[in-house]
Amino acid sequence: MTVNDDSFTNWKNREEIAESMIPIIGKLHRERDVTVLLHSRSLVNKSVVSILKTHRFARQIAGEELSVTDTLPFLQALTTLDLGPSQIDLALLAATYQADERGLSVEEFTAEAVAGATGANKIECRRGRDVVLYGFGRIGRLVARLLIEKAGSGNGLRLRAIVVRGGGADDLVKRASLLRRDSIHGQFQGTITVDEANSTIVANGNEIKVIYANDPSEIDYTAYGINDAILIDNTGKWRDREGLSKHLRPGVDKVVLTAPGKGDVPNIVHGVNHDMIKPDEQILSCASCTTNAIVPPLKAMEDEYGVVRGHVETVHSFTNDQNLLDNYHKSERRGRSAPLNMVITETGAASAVAKALPDLKAKITGSSIRVPVPDVSIAILNLQLARETTREEVLDHLREVSLTSPLKRQIDFTSAPDAVSNDFIGSRHASIVDAGATKVEGDNAILYLWYDNEFGYSCQVIRVVQYVSGVEYPTYPAPAV
């Protein structure tokens, strides 16, 4: 047998093991509300190849690929336990087991490591929380995809309704088609049918009522069987407390805005200040995609080095706010053709930092250039630090933050020398540090941060909604203190 034959046989064996993992992962998710992770990346609803690629990601941590033969025994051990809703990281289980010197079996060690989610300690499955989308544009449709994907056991978030203005003939069919196919993010993973008689879109078994209204005051959500709902406003029409309060209609308990909030509306960046949300707060904002991209790495740098001042320049993909061809626009430059020009514009991300990081005393300024790409942007964060450092030290710090810190779902890290914007379409992180572009000299550090301003931001929105709804479950095994 040749070396190539050996490699191919090994691949086929690993495919078979990964294939055997899929029904176990699915059953844990559907029946027990358990999300199986690998280095904080969900394995739920993933293909054989995707599971193997996620295992390969371990090279960035241990220098060698994590094998499915290493993780399968821990997954099998989970099926023997009385598990409650939780997130369980197989990679962390395998790593801590290897470091443990007590000679425990995989089954014994797993039971001990996830004890907080079993037996008398387990969280009982909560009743599913109703969610309403107000608006169904770029962010609205991606948030809808994520809500449907995460429906799982039905005990988490449930997308119950979408509110839009009437669009004429075949409106429902056209909106369903926009959910089904996306020029940037590809096909919807599942099935979608339309029930025009009942004004309903059924996506992967989720019945989603489409409500036509021109103003929030026209709607009583309880008439549709919706109660205690979280409403996600992705129109951006109202951004202050007075305007967003219009959504607090019968059946709606909280309002989440997918744009920077004004006045006293809290701007939340998950991973940084989401734990500061007051239980009785009914209106909050998820800030902007750029704020979500820069605040987590800014916090990581502030915590380690201190930040004296900074400037962020965003090179941002064009959006629906701009014109295809030169035409009237309330903003002078944004009226010029988006696919044909680089357009200098403003960004509120820098000023929004103060809301998300109130303890940061450094002055952060910002500006933006819209460029002719449809998705994925890059923020260039130029920082003066409180102490001198080296490029190697900064990269080691940010790499470690992306792998093991509480910000690992927000910050990703790439050392690919040929990385370009298209590589980050579909990234679930708020931003990705580009190691090759990073520059450090003395007390000056310049970070290049890629971010999928559509999908990555939508993932941050969902994390905030999960947190305020109480379905963001703890992760096991707990990291060492």
Side-chain angles (χ1 to χ4, degrees), residues 145-201:
R145 285 188 174 200
L146 286 164
L147 287 167
I148 295 162
E149 171 194 304
K150 295 178 180 297
S153 64
N155 295 314
L157 302 174
R158 301 185 304 174
L159 177 56
R160 297 292 309 282
I162 297 162
V163 182
V164 292
R165 289 180 294 181
D170 295 326
D171 180 89
L172 197 63
V173 172
K174 290 175 181 176
R175 294 188 189 277
S177 293
L178 286 169
L179 179 62
R180 183 182 290 115
R181 288 179 285 271
D182 191 282
S183 299
I184 296 169
H185 301 282
Q187 296 275 348
F188 173 80
Q189 296 302 301
T191 63
I192 294 175
T193 57
V194 175
D195 180 354
E196 291 190 89
N198 292 302
S199 191
T200 300
I201 295 172

Side-chain angles (χ1 to χ4, degrees), residues 404-417:
T404 62
S405 82
L407 292 171
K408 62 186 177 182
R409 287 200 289 172
Q410 282 70 44
I411 301 175
D412 205 357
F413 188 94
T414 182
S415 55

Side-chain angles (χ1 to χ4, degrees), residues 122-376:
K122 71 179 182 181
I123 301 170
E124 292 302 320
C125 289
R126 297 182 174 91
R127 181 183 67 83
R129 187 71 177 267
D130 291 350
V131 178
V132 174
L133 288 178
Y134 198 95
F136 204 47
R138 296 298 302 155
I139 299 302
R141 292 194 295 274
L142 291 177
V143 168
R145 285 188 174 200
L146 286 164
L147 287 167
I148 295 162
E149 171 194 304
K150 295 178 180 297
S153 64
N155 295 314
L157 302 174
R158 301 185 304 174
L159 177 56
R160 297 292 309 282
I162 297 162
V163 182
V164 292
R165 289 180 294 181
D170 295 326
D171 180 89
L172 197 63
V173 172
K174 290 175 181 176
R175 294 188 189 277
S177 293
L178 286 169
L179 179 62
R180 183 182 290 115
R181 288 179 285 271
D182 191 282
S183 299
I184 296 169
H185 301 282
Q187 296 275 348
F188 173 80
Q189 296 302 301
T191 63
I192 294 175
T193 57
V194 175
D195 180 354
E196 291 190 89
N198 292 302
S199 191
T200 300
I201 295 172
V202 183
N204 291 357
N206 294 269
E207 294 188 359
I208 307 162
K209 190 74 173 180
V210 178
I211 302 169
Y212 293 99
N214 294 315
D215 188 82
S217 62
E218 300 175 11
I219 312 167
D220 178 347
Y221 292 97
T222 60
Y224 302 94
I226 297 170
N227 294 283
D228 194 33
I230 297 174
L231 183 145
I232 304 173
D233 183 331
N234 56 94
T235 68
K237 183 176 180 180
W238 305 279
R239 293 171 57 187
D240 59 11
R241 187 172 295 275
E242 181 182 1
L244 292 168
S245 294
K246 296 175 184 286
H247 291 303
L248 293 174
R249 302 285 299 156
V252 172
D253 177 57
K254 294 182 185 295
V255 179
V256 175
L257 170 67
T258 64
K262 294 183 177 181
D264 67 342
V265 174
N267 279 272
I268 305 300
V269 175
H270 191 276
V272 175
N273 67 338
H274 67 276
D275 56 353
M276 302 299 290
I277 300 173
K278 297 176 182 177
D280 60 350
E281 179 60 75
Q282 288 189 288
I283 295 173
L284 53 93
S285 156
C286 290
S288 70
C289 56
T290 302
T291 303
N292 276 265
I294 66 174
V295 166
L298 187 56
K299 175 175 171 53
M301 295 297 286
E302 164 70 5
D303 289 348
E304 181 67 17
Y305 304 103
V307 175
V308 177
R309 65 175 61 88
H311 177 80
V312 60
E313 187 78 38
T314 68
V315 182
H316 200 292
S317 59
F318 61 75
T319 67
N320 271 331
D321 165 70
Q322 295 169 258
N323 293 328
L324 284 173
L325 296 171
D326 291 358
N327 207 344
Y328 174 81
H329 194 289
K330 63 181 181 181
S331 174
E332 287 83 358
R333 297 187 204 249
R334 288 199 194 190
R336 304 299 297 278
S337 172
L340 298 178
N341 294 291
M342 292 190 293
V343 179
I344 298 173
T345 186
E346 69 285 340
T347 175
S351 58
V353 167
K355 278 193 170 186
L357 280 176
D359 293 336
L360 180 70
K361 304 306 178 188
K363 179 177 176 58
I364 306 294
T365 57
S367 53
S368 180
I369 302 172
R370 296 288 179 94
V371 294
V373 294
D375 188 30
V376 180

Side-chain angles (χ1 to χ4, degrees), residues 376 414 416-427 432 450:
V376 180
T414 182
D418 58 349
V420 293
S421 59
N422 264 13
D423 298 331
F424 306 105
I425 291 176
S427 170
I432 306 99
W450 298 101

Side-chain angles (χ1 to χ4, degrees), residues 9-153:
T9 300
N10 177 265
W11 171 260
K12 301 302 287 185
N13 288 339
R14 287 186 292 143
E15 271 191 326
E16 185 177 359
I17 293 171
E19 198 170 61
S20 72
M21 298 172 79
I22 291 174
I24 302 174
I25 293 167
K27 189 173 183 179
L28 285 170
H29 188 54
R30 287 191 308 275
E31 297 183 1
R32 306 193 195 182
D33 227 358
V34 173
T35 300
V36 177
L37 310 173
L38 198 81
H39 295 306
S40 78
R41 288 159 164 79
S42 173
L43 296 183
V44 177
N45 292 328
K46 295 298 185 288
S47 67
V48 167
V49 172
S50 180
I51 289 173
L52 292 174
K53 285 181 68 176
T54 308
H55 277 75
R56 190 168 172 78
F57 173 77
R59 290 181 305 161
Q60 293 194 40
I61 300 172
E64 60 184 22
E65 187 171 340
L66 182 64
S67 174
V68 285
T69 59
D70 295 326
T71 57
L72 178 61
F74 294 97
L75 182 61
Q76 292 172 327
L78 292 176
T79 65
T80 67
L81 302 174
D82 181 25
L83 282 169
S86 56
Q87 300 184 99
I88 299 177
D89 197 313
L90 296 181
L92 195 53
L93 270 175
T96 51
Y97 178 68
Q98 285 185 346
D100 190 87
E101 299 178 347
R102 293 175 294 166
L104 299 177
S105 67
V106 167
E107 292 76 15
E108 291 169 334
F109 181 84
T110 301
E112 179 182 281
V114 303
T118 61
N121 297 322
K122 71 179 182 181
I123 301 170
E124 292 302 320
C125 289
R126 297 182 174 91
R127 181 183 67 83
R129 187 71 177 267
D130 291 350
V131 178
V132 174
L133 288 178
Y134 198 95
F136 204 47
R138 296 298 302 155
I139 299 302
R141 292 194 295 274
L142 291 177
V143 168
R145 285 188 174 200
L146 286 164
L147 287 167
I148 295 162
E149 171 194 304
K150 295 178 180 297
S153 64

